[in-house]
Amino acid sequence: MLPRGKGNIFFTGATASMRGGSGFAAFASAKFGLRAVAQSAARELGPNNIHVAHLVIDSSVDTQWVRRDREPRRRASDRKLDPNRLMRPAAVAEAYWQLYQQPRDAWTFEHEIRPFGESGSGSAVDGAEPSREDAAFSR
């Protein structure tokens, strides 16, 4: 990217990138570290026309792998998987695409996305505990 004088680097984080929660020390430290790398890279590479961004993905993405992973827990609790708490892959891709298309005079560093049906969570800065999806990724 440096020889070409342009490029994009996007990092994927989670709420744990901003704050840790009880039982999430390993996951939070990894996500905190990833965010710090992204911040440093943005400061270092931004002047070279390389857009570096950190996305906070606060949900699972609706894929076969996620549905297979949740199936045993769903049966055990006899609950249905709420599709409003998962993000469609195309919606996640659209968030990345929007960042990619941003003009260099209005680059976003941090972008948080979550499904509208996620219950009990708020902005990554409102003091909420890590989401269940954060917990699922820490296993």
Side-chain angles (χ1 to χ4, degrees):
M1 288 182 227
L2 286 172
R4 290 185 324 161
K6 64 180 181 175
N8 296 276
I9 302 172
F10 300 149
F11 292 87
T12 303
T15 295
S17 303
M18 267 64 109
R19 68 173 180 281
S22 178
F24 294 94
F27 184 65
S29 63
K31 290 301 182 180
F32 266 83
L34 180 78
R35 185 175 184 231
V37 168
Q39 288 172 335
S40 296
R43 289 183 180 97
E44 180 180 336
L45 300 172
N48 295 303
N49 198 31
I50 297 173
H51 182 190
V52 179
H54 177 255
L55 284 88
V56 176
I57 308 295
D58 233 359
S59 173
S60 293
V61 179
D62 193 359
T63 63
Q64 285 183 333
W65 180 82
V66 166
R67 287 182 176 273
R68 266 195 319 268
D69 180 60
R70 290 183 173 196
E71 187 65 30
R73 287 179 279 164
R74 208 169 70 223
R75 278 192 218 125
S77 65
D78 199 31
R79 292 185 323 201
K80 292 184 178 177
L81 184 61
D82 183 356
N84 296 324
R85 297 196 61 223
L86 297 174
M87 289 188 288
R88 293 174 299 108
V92 175
E94 180 63 26
Y96 281 88
W97 181 245
Q98 289 170 0
L99 282 174
Y100 177 80
Q101 293 185 334
Q102 286 183 333
R104 62 184 279 180
D105 61 340
W107 278 347
T108 296
F109 168 70
E110 203 148 58
H111 185 57
E112 181 177 343
I113 62 174
R114 65 180 64 245
F116 74 93
E118 185 179 326
S119 63
S121 70
S123 166
V125 296
D126 73 357
E129 286 298 311
S131 69
R132 285 183 224 167
E133 286 70 27
D134 279 351
F137 289 123
S138 67
R139 284 184 261 148

